[in-house]
Amino acid sequence: MPTLTFDRHAYRCGGQPVHLYSGEFHYFRVPKADWRRRMALFREAGGNCLATYVPWLIHEPREGEFVFGGPDGKHDLEDFLVTAREEGLAVMARPGPYQYSELVYDGLPVWLCDNYPQLRARNFQGKDFRRSSISYLHPLFLEKTAAWFDRVCPILARHTTSHGGAIAFVQLDNEMAGIHRWFGGYDYNPEAMGFGQEHGLFALFLRDRFGSVGALNRSWDTTFAGFAEARPPAPGDTSSPAALRRAKDYCDFYYWTIGEYARQLAEMLRSRGIDTPLVTNSPSPASNLWFLETVRAVPGPFLLGSDHYYTLNQNWRQNNPTPQYAVEVSFSCEVLRLMGYPPSVFELPGGSASDWPPITPADAKACYLANVAMGMKGNNFYIYTGGPNVPGTGTTSDLYDYGAPVGANGEVQPLYQALKDVGLFLREQPWLAEAELEASCRFALDLEMLRTAEVWPGGGGLAVSAATAGDFLRKGPLTTAFCAGLAPTACDLASDDWLADRRTPVVVVCASAMAAEKQQRLIRFLESGGRALFLPALPTVDERFEPCTLLADYLGCGGGT
């Protein structure tokens, strides 16, 4: 099969730009006798790729006992890959360790979660999040993961496109950090994080950041005798600049561990013969910034995508693709582009885990086209088709249907036409595959500070927190731009690549904190004739919450307002 590649602008097949149009198709759920027919239906709808989890739970039901193959197809990964190749469809293989997918223990083996309680992620008080929220960098978990990869990777490696097979991409884990953030917050497992150890991860991170324990103590307002004595701060304390520094440092450390986990998974895959580009998916538009360290840590070719659901149950903020959803999609696509990737949505709703509120074809089509309009260059429908769960592995029902375009029993359902309409539209408009937005306004984003929103919702004695600035960006100027019929794009305050364009003004939504280097970059832009609007305040401190008023002083606004 032709190799699928990508650059920051587009996906390419045989050197030609192409929209990656993928659908989630679980070989362990879909009856083997119907694989070809359902694949053909997807190809007829414009599809060129399939994605599938490869559940550790199902293939190693008891420790050391691996099950592959078999006549019913539920464990026959290899025959599925052969069938996809014969049907002319690429494959994105997702071997975990995590799958989620409404599987027991999120796709991890029951024996792993039940028999090794020391692996579980813990909150600040030392309490387990839950049985299947694992501390990623625990040495024993990495050892068990390596043993799983020892068995599954040789199968996948035989079927990569470089060997004439269907696998074009292999995913690192699934929605990393989600199993922590959704069920307890940051992970504080002492063994995995290395608290109290001279060569533990936390001490090494602090040593690299501060250089000396004296510098750490001055920043944190502490009296540690050495890095091994340093302990993470209690969550939620933002009462002072020193408290903000401590909170931000643990935030940065936690996401550094996510990058280190991804790096180690990538090394495991590469050493076991996986030569395709590696991918991973952010859990949501707001989560893309969790992976700033990951994109630096994982050697290329590597691709970050996002998940763009607009509803999955009654607890969501909206039940259909609202204007607020469009703003989130725009923000997500722009952040992915700034991070160097063709904006990709690796879970675009092809149904819902809940029957209510319903996913209607009209809403789904509006969702898909909104993502295309915001610059999406590749997508994977979650799910395209479903089927019965392997007995004892599902958490919702025996049939995993999702109201998908092709149902659990093989029936073509209403969403199929929406998927087909958009798929054929993209096929008939090939220029969209690498089209770039003709922007009429630009937003300069401080990605590092926007991520700090989760540890800096307010307080700290500063006027505008990161959370306030991020909320203002979405509900204020970005929404206003869409209402005014403008086409907004984003630029990264950490980069010089936008400075030369002085034709389009820049809207800079500022928190009260911004690195001196970024303030100086904005000053250079203004000095060269650029135009900028600063809202809602000017920075008064740097990224370490130390006094820094370079930009305010340049503008003659020493008070930062």
Side-chain angles (χ1 to χ4, degrees):
M1 290 185 64
T3 300
L4 276 168
T5 61
F6 64 89
D7 55 35
R8 66 182 304 155
H9 304 291
Y11 289 88
R12 301 186 189 279
C13 183
Q16 298 301 310
V18 62
H19 187 99
L20 179 72
Y21 209 62
S22 177
E24 193 79 16
F25 189 123
H26 297 152
Y27 63 93
F28 53 93
R29 284 171 166 144
V30 176
K32 186 173 184 177
D34 209 24
W35 284 354
R36 287 189 188 275
R37 185 185 70 89
R38 298 193 199 188
M39 289 179 184
L41 279 170
F42 188 61
R43 196 177 58 249
E44 290 167 12
N48 51 27
C49 183
L50 301 174
T52 186
Y53 293 120
V54 184
W56 190 0
L57 164 74
I58 289 170
H59 288 291
E60 193 181 3
R62 286 162 290 279
E63 186 168 9
E65 180 184 316
F66 293 89
V67 183
F68 289 98
D72 65 358
K74 292 188 178 298
H75 299 87
D76 201 349
L77 167 63
E78 197 145 18
D79 202 25
F80 172 79
L81 296 172
V82 169
T83 305
R85 177 184 58 79
E86 291 173 351
E87 291 298 317
L89 292 165
V91 169
M92 180 187 298
R94 313 217 274 177
Y98 276 94
Q99 280 80 39
Y100 302 2
S101 189
E102 288 71 55
L103 289 168
V104 170
Y105 288 164
D106 306 308
L108 295 181
V110 173
W111 57 261
L112 179 78
C113 298
D114 284 354
N115 298 344
Y116 299 98
Q118 68 269 37
L119 302 184
R120 296 172 193 157
R122 299 179 190 173
N123 64 19
F124 184 76
Q125 289 75 31
K127 183 179 178 181
D128 294 347
F129 289 174
R130 59 187 187 129
R131 283 178 180 256
S132 59
S133 286
I134 299 297
S135 192
Y136 290 136
L137 288 176
H138 195 289
L140 184 59
F141 178 60
L142 294 173
E143 177 186 319
K144 300 299 184 185
T145 297
W148 159 237
F149 282 178
D150 282 342
R151 298 303 296 265
V152 72
C153 285
I155 297 172
L156 300 177
R158 287 196 293 272
H159 294 277
T160 62
T161 54
S162 65
H163 292 89
I167 297 178
F169 306 101
V170 173
Q171 181 172 292
L172 297 173
D173 210 277
N174 186 54
E175 296 178 340
M176 286 187 290
I179 49 95
H180 299 155
R181 299 302 316 284
W182 299 328
F183 300 103
Y186 298 146
D187 180 17
Y188 295 87
N189 182 295
E191 185 174 356
M193 299 307 195
F195 303 145
Q197 303 172 31
E198 189 65 31
H199 298 288
L201 292 178
F202 190 50
L204 293 174
F205 175 84
L206 294 175
R207 183 177 289 109
D208 182 66
R209 172 155 289 192
F210 290 101
S212 71
V213 71
L216 168 66
N217 284 329
R218 287 189 294 274
S219 180
W220 281 24
D221 193 20
T222 51
T223 57
F224 300 124
F227 287 111
E229 288 190 13
R231 291 295 185 273
D237 181 8
T238 58
S239 59
S240 68
L244 281 172
R245 286 191 283 272
R246 293 192 293 267
K248 182 178 184 297
D249 285 336
Y250 197 78
C251 170
D252 291 346
F253 167 69
Y254 173 76
Y255 289 120
W256 176 86
T257 69
I258 301 301
E260 176 60 15
Y261 172 58
R263 186 196 67 78
Q264 292 199 36
L265 290 183
E267 187 176 276
M268 289 183 197
L269 292 170
R270 294 294 187 215
S271 67
R272 289 161 175 80
I274 303 302
D275 58 4
T276 68
L278 302 176
V279 304
T280 198
N281 58 327
S282 161
S284 69
S287 308
N288 295 346
L289 297 177
W290 295 358
F291 300 96
L292 294 175
E293 290 83 0
T294 297
V295 300
R296 293 191 289 265
V298 179
F302 172 70
L303 172 65
L304 174 68
S306 190
D307 295 353
H308 287 182
Y309 292 104
Y310 60 84
T311 186
L312 283 174
N313 54 49
Q314 293 184 57
N315 296 324
W316 285 66
R317 288 176 295 175
Q318 64 271 314
N319 295 335
N320 47 40
T322 61
Q324 291 91 332
Y325 173 77
V327 168
E328 291 294 333
V329 167
S330 172
F331 178 78
S332 178
C333 288
E334 286 299 294
V335 168
L336 292 173
R337 185 183 60 80
L338 291 180
M339 295 170 86
Y341 304 118
S344 304
V345 185
F346 288 144
E347 292 189 22
L348 190 66
S352 173
S354 301
D355 291 332
W356 186 266
I359 298 280
T360 68
D363 280 352
K365 189 172 179 180
C367 163
Y368 306 157
L369 291 175
N371 278 269
V372 172
M374 300 305 174
M376 179 180 73
K377 301 302 181 186
N379 66 272
N380 176 55
F381 292 102
Y382 196 93
I383 59 177
Y384 159 63
T385 187
N389 281 309
V390 175
T393 66
T395 61
T396 51
S397 64
D398 291 336
L399 278 183
Y400 192 73
D401 183 272
Y402 243 67
V406 177
N409 295 310
E411 68 277 29
V412 174
Q413 301 195 116
L415 286 186
Y416 179 80
Q417 192 60 49
L419 180 152
K420 185 174 183 178
D421 287 348
V422 175
L424 296 184
F425 167 75
L426 290 170
R427 181 182 290 175
E428 292 162 3
Q429 306 292 333
W431 62 273
L432 279 170
E434 59 178 349
E436 295 186 21
L437 181 70
E438 287 288 340
S440 49
C441 62
R442 294 184 291 170
F443 292 83
L445 303 182
D446 188 343
L447 301 182
E448 179 187 5
M449 197 50 58
L450 283 171
R451 186 178 70 186
T452 307
E454 61 194 52
V455 295
W456 185 24
L462 299 168
V464 179
S465 71
T468 300
D471 195 49
F472 179 79
L473 168 67
R474 292 171 173 84
K475 295 179 179 178
L478 193 53
T479 295
T480 299
F482 283 119
C483 290
L486 300 176
T489 190
C491 44
D492 184 358
L493 280 175
S495 171
D496 285 339
D497 63 7
W498 56 276
L499 294 178
D501 181 2
R502 293 182 292 276
R503 298 167 300 171
T504 308
V506 176
V507 178
V508 188
V509 176
C510 301
S512 292
M514 182 186 291
E517 176 232 347
K518 294 173 184 175
Q519 294 188 47
Q520 290 166 342
R521 182 170 286 111
L522 285 165
I523 291 170
R524 294 204 311 272
F525 177 68
L526 296 172
E527 288 177 336
S528 67
R531 294 167 294 159
L533 176 64
F534 299 95
L535 299 168
L538 293 171
T540 56
V541 296
D542 64 15
E543 80 282 12
R544 300 295 305 158
F545 305 102
E546 300 284 359
C548 183
T549 58
L550 293 172
L551 183 59
D553 292 343
Y554 174 81
L555 295 171
C557 303
T561 57

